[in-house]
Amino acid sequence: MGLLHPNLSLTAALSLLSATTTNAFMTTNNRDGIPLMSQQTSTTTLNSINAENKKELPDYGKTPIEVSKIKLPKVSKKWIRQDLFGNSLVEETLESLENDEEFQATSKKLKEKGAAAMTKEERLQRRRALQDLGVPDFLSFVSSEQNKENGDEIKVLHRKEPKVLQVNIGLYCNQACGHCHVESSPLKTEEQMTSETVTQILNVLKNTPSITTLDITGGAPELNENFRMLVSIARDLRSDLDIIDRCNLTVLQEPGQEDLVEFLASNKVRVVASLPCYSADNVDKQRGNGVFDRSISALLALNQAGYGIQSISEDKDSSSSDELKIDLVYNPLGAFLPPEQKSLEGKYKEELMDNFGIQFNELFTMTNMPIKRFADFLYRRGELKEYMDLLVRNFNLDTTQSLMCLDTVNIGWDGKLYDCDFNQQLGFAIGANNENDESHKGGKSIFDIDSFMDLQNDGIKNDNHCFGCTAGMGSS
């Protein structure tokens, strides 16, 4: 049994663990591969799109792949930077934010207007951009495209049986990435999930055997004091559960996280990590100075623990359930779609192995969502309309059958329930009345339900940001 968190009462722990061997869990099948990567779209399904379908995506796969043309010089073992472990990145990040004029301007605006007013303004900017382009609202657009393809309208955004539970355990992070749609940073010290909320999540998870994946995100989720409680008890509850840690890699070097790799490995946690490039300049540009060196050192530490080391089997189709998997995520550095996934993955594997001896399982390319930090980036540069046009022009009907919101329940740090991580940041909670452009008000929380099946009759929220989930191969 995994370690129990000191804040969890013995009674609560015993209650959670009492049903770990019930038939309900014996009949639950775990997914092979990574079930929600990308979260909105099934990567395996979408990568099978044939050439005839691809011609309908005029820009996807045509993005200049400068990232894959970078040829790194051979390097020494300097990348095994043991000196980085135990040294925090927080102070450097805070200093960077202090000198970031755009960040300071946005922070001032947030204090003056509040989150709801800024969300409304952001939605209005996207709406005006789409109106200028002659594009209707998202749901009407999808229905029209389905009618063209199939000859009749099909019900879209129909909630399925819940398979994925995504938990945003807190917004505190040791980094402040330019593309971050949840706007995490070291300044987000109050937005942290409590042990009481984690306990209720575990209770509801126990009552929902259809859930096959627990996806833990943040912020830097590992820096929440209840992260290990969530992981260890979830693993005790469900040995077959696919537990994912959305790791920024540099967190491995934060003080107090010296045993993090060992903890993740012992609980068979899959690591999904952001690495926007395999060159220092591009990584540091998006994620902060010094992040590349730290990321490489962290990946080497994970490899040394067995992560990403793919065993050779006589049966090429077999996959060991004991394999420790690490996947990387690529986000574009600007207002363009990501390159074709498989070709970029091959280049990543070649460069990281040749130059650093690093191995990983899969690379996922994700479209940047036009919300929050990235939306502000686009608006300030006068590129929002062009970016929305890019998303609409590359609408992919295949994505609508496997969108994240169809079989995922997302939980915010305060326990509120959402259809996806993006709706969470825009304040569109499940069960809330968002008429009159209201957001961040009402909605259901984890304390309102006993099972995630209780949400089956609640409609799925959608808005103009959803075009990011259906462009090309989708977003995360």
Side-chain angles (χ1 to χ4, degrees):
M1 188 173 77
L3 296 176
L4 297 181
H5 192 275
N7 289 342
L8 184 67
S9 69
L10 179 60
T11 301
L14 291 175
S15 173
L16 283 170
L17 299 178
S18 62
T20 55
T21 58
T22 62
N23 290 333
F25 297 123
M26 294 295 287
T27 59
T28 300
N29 294 321
N30 191 20
R31 293 189 182 184
D32 185 31
I34 183 163
L36 71 156
M37 301 303 300
S38 74
Q39 296 173 351
Q40 287 78 8
T41 58
S42 167
T43 302
T44 302
T45 301
L46 297 180
N47 280 339
S48 66
I49 294 176
N50 57 36
E52 181 179 352
N53 287 335
K54 279 192 175 181
K55 69 183 180 182
E56 300 173 2
L57 308 178
D59 302 285
Y60 179 77
K62 295 182 180 179
T63 299
I65 315 179
E66 279 79 9
V67 60
S68 70
K69 294 179 181 177
I70 300 171
K71 195 66 180 177
L72 300 180
K74 300 297 179 181
V75 298
S76 66
K77 292 185 177 180
K78 73 168 187 173
W79 295 106
I80 307 178
R81 295 280 305 278
Q82 296 297 335
D83 60 299
L84 293 175
F85 290 83
N87 291 323
S88 179
L89 189 62
V90 170
E91 290 301 322
E92 189 172 343
T93 301
L94 288 172
E95 182 179 350
S96 176
L97 292 177
E98 187 69 28
N99 297 322
D100 188 329
E101 294 182 1
E102 291 188 357
F103 177 84
Q104 292 300 325
T106 301
S107 297
K108 181 180 178 181
K109 190 175 180 181
L110 179 61
K111 290 180 181 179
E112 294 173 349
K113 292 189 173 185
M118 287 192 66
T119 295
K120 184 175 181 178
E121 181 179 298
E122 181 186 306
R123 293 177 68 198
L124 182 60
Q125 291 168 354
R126 286 193 299 270
R127 187 179 303 162
R128 286 173 176 168
L130 291 173
Q131 288 174 345
D132 288 345
L133 295 168
V135 177
D137 66 88
F138 177 75
L139 206 56
S140 297
F141 182 88
V142 174
S143 297
S144 175
E145 292 298 308
Q146 285 187 332
N147 187 43
K148 292 178 186 177
E149 180 75 15
N150 303 299
D152 56 9
E153 289 194 14
I154 301 174
K155 185 175 182 180
V156 294
L157 300 188
H158 177 67
R159 194 180 299 278
K160 301 177 182 178
E161 184 179 62
K163 298 292 185 183
V164 178
L165 174 60
Q166 185 177 62
V167 179
N168 190 316
I169 199 169
L171 302 184
Y172 180 79
C173 187
N174 60 332
Q175 297 179 197
C177 301
H179 68 285
C180 182
H181 64 272
V182 301
E183 300 184 313
S184 297
S185 78
L187 298 174
K188 302 282 185 148
T189 56
E190 300 298 322
E191 297 89 342
Q192 293 290 301
M193 186 173 285
T194 66
S195 60
E196 291 77 15
T197 301
V198 169
T199 300
Q200 178 63 6
I201 290 172
L202 290 164
N203 270 315
V204 179
L205 171 63
K206 182 184 66 174
N207 296 334
T208 316
S210 65
I211 296 292
T212 60
T213 299
L214 171 62
D215 180 13
I216 309 173
T217 184
E222 307 89 347
L223 297 180
N224 183 299
E225 64 178 3
N226 299 304
F227 170 77
R228 299 194 185 201
M229 165 187 168
L230 176 58
V231 170
S232 59
I233 296 181
R235 176 55 69 217
D236 286 335
L237 285 172
R238 294 276 300 279
S239 61
D240 67 330
L241 190 66
D242 188 10
I243 302 178
I244 295 173
D245 173 28
R246 299 279 178 148
C247 182
N248 68 11
L249 295 176
T250 65
V251 71
L252 270 63
Q253 292 134 9
E254 289 295 316
Q257 302 298 324
E258 291 81 3
D259 63 340
L260 178 57
V261 173
E262 180 183 358
F263 172 81
L264 295 174
S266 65
N267 284 280
K268 297 180 180 178
V269 176
R270 176 175 298 190
V271 175
V272 176
S274 177
L275 190 69
C277 190
Y278 43 75
S279 77
D281 288 346
N282 282 351
V283 172
D284 290 350
K285 178 181 179 181
Q286 188 182 87
R287 306 185 70 202
N289 292 332
V291 168
F292 181 75
D293 283 20
R294 288 174 174 267
S295 297
I296 294 299
S297 293
L299 286 169
L300 288 169
L302 287 163
N303 276 175
Q304 289 175 354
Y307 272 95
I309 308 301
Q310 301 176 44
S311 59
I312 300 175
S313 172
E314 293 182 1
D315 181 2
K316 295 182 180 180
D317 295 327
S318 67
S319 177
S320 173
S321 60
D322 294 329
E323 182 181 358
L324 297 174
K325 295 182 180 180
I326 178 168
D327 301 315
L328 301 182
V329 177
Y330 165 86
N331 291 86
L333 293 170
F336 50 88
L337 295 179
E340 197 278 324
Q341 183 166 290
K342 278 300 177 183
S343 63
L344 188 58
E345 177 184 291
K347 199 62 180 176
Y348 260 70
K349 287 191 172 183
E350 176 187 341
E351 292 293 334
L352 291 178
M353 171 55 75
D354 288 352
N355 294 283
F356 310 112
I358 288 173
Q359 298 184 56
F360 65 94
N361 295 93
E362 295 183 75
L363 174 77
F364 299 101
T365 59
M366 303 300 174
T367 302
N368 284 328
M369 291 293 290
I371 66 173
K372 298 301 178 180
R373 220 172 259 170
F374 187 64
D376 190 54
F377 167 87
L378 294 171
Y379 187 73
R380 287 177 182 274
R381 287 157 181 76
E383 298 176 349
L384 180 60
K385 179 179 175 180
E386 286 73 16
Y387 190 70
M388 295 304 297
D389 182 45
L390 178 71
L391 298 180
V392 173
R393 197 167 63 243
N394 289 274
F395 173 80
N396 183 353
L397 186 60
D398 289 341
T399 64
T400 62
Q401 301 304 307
S402 51
L403 293 170
M404 172 191 183
C405 55
L406 302 182
D407 65 357
T408 295
V409 177
N410 175 280
I411 306 178
W413 63 268
D414 58 355
K416 281 286 186 71
L417 303 176
Y418 303 88
D419 301 309
C420 68
D421 206 28
F422 309 120
N423 279 2
Q424 178 194 140
Q425 301 314 312
L426 295 174
F428 298 152
I430 294 176
N433 182 358
N434 296 124
E435 294 182 1
N436 301 318
D437 286 342
E438 289 187 335
S439 63
H440 301 280
K441 293 182 180 180
K444 296 183 178 181
S445 88
I446 189 66
F447 295 97
D448 295 326
I449 61 174
D450 297 315
S451 165
F452 292 112
M453 290 296 294
D454 296 345
L455 304 173
Q456 287 300 97
N457 294 325
D458 287 288
I460 295 176
K461 305 285 185 181
N462 71 93
D463 201 63
N464 47 39
H465 65 285
C466 297
F467 282 105
C469 301
T470 56
M473 295 298 109
S475 182
S476 168

